[in-house]
Amino acid sequence: MAARIDALPAQEDARATLYDVAEQALPLDDERALEAVVWSYFLLSNRHDPELLREHTISHASWIDRLTALARTAYGAGPAAGEMEQRVRALVACLDGLALNAVTDPAAYPSELQRCILRTQLDLMLERKPTP
């Protein structure tokens, strides 16, 4: 996934960049569906393996940092660091749940629905109202 993100073309629109990066976490094709299945097994495995848990913690923190930087650029002057991180964590929770549901019930979560849900989540994340 990181290689795909690094290969994305540069865009002038920060929101479009955020969308393109976040979309890489969704199982929209065979390669990403396989990644989502492997990722779900990895998450379950790290519950009982301290080394895997450490790897997950590092990877997850990096993902949060990357998305937070992109979201801050897309949002502009905006919420305090803690609030933006909370918004990004909500985005990540949405992506994780969406990916898991899409690989376990692909007929219920076709690609276009996944993309629509991501756009809606970004709308919510980038709105100007403070989160409660």
Side-chain angles (χ1 to χ4, degrees), residues 17-120:
T17 299
L18 176 60
Y19 175 90
D20 287 349
V21 169
E23 185 184 68
Q24 298 308 307
L26 298 177
L28 298 171
D29 54 39
D30 291 341
E31 177 184 1
R32 290 185 273 185
L34 179 58
E35 286 174 359
V37 170
V38 170
W39 167 82
S40 64
Y41 280 107
F42 170 77
L43 282 180
L44 291 173
S45 297
N46 78 33
R47 294 181 59 229
H48 303 291
D49 185 325
E51 187 173 325
L52 287 179
L53 179 57
R54 185 172 48 258
E55 288 297 319
H56 168 69
T57 301
I58 292 167
S59 174
H60 187 71
S62 175
W63 182 228
I64 295 291
D65 290 347
R66 176 175 250 176
L67 290 174
T68 300
L70 292 169
R72 213 164 255 307
T73 301
Y75 194 94
E83 183 179 340
M84 183 54 77
E85 183 179 333
Q86 179 182 344
R87 290 176 182 218
V88 168
R89 288 184 184 277
L91 171 64
V92 169
C94 177
L95 291 170
D96 290 351
L98 185 53
L100 184 58
N101 280 294
V103 296
T104 56
D105 191 1
Y109 293 91
S111 296
E112 194 46 47
L113 178 60
Q114 292 178 57
R115 288 181 174 106
C116 180
I117 291 169
L118 173 56
R119 285 189 297 271
T120 299

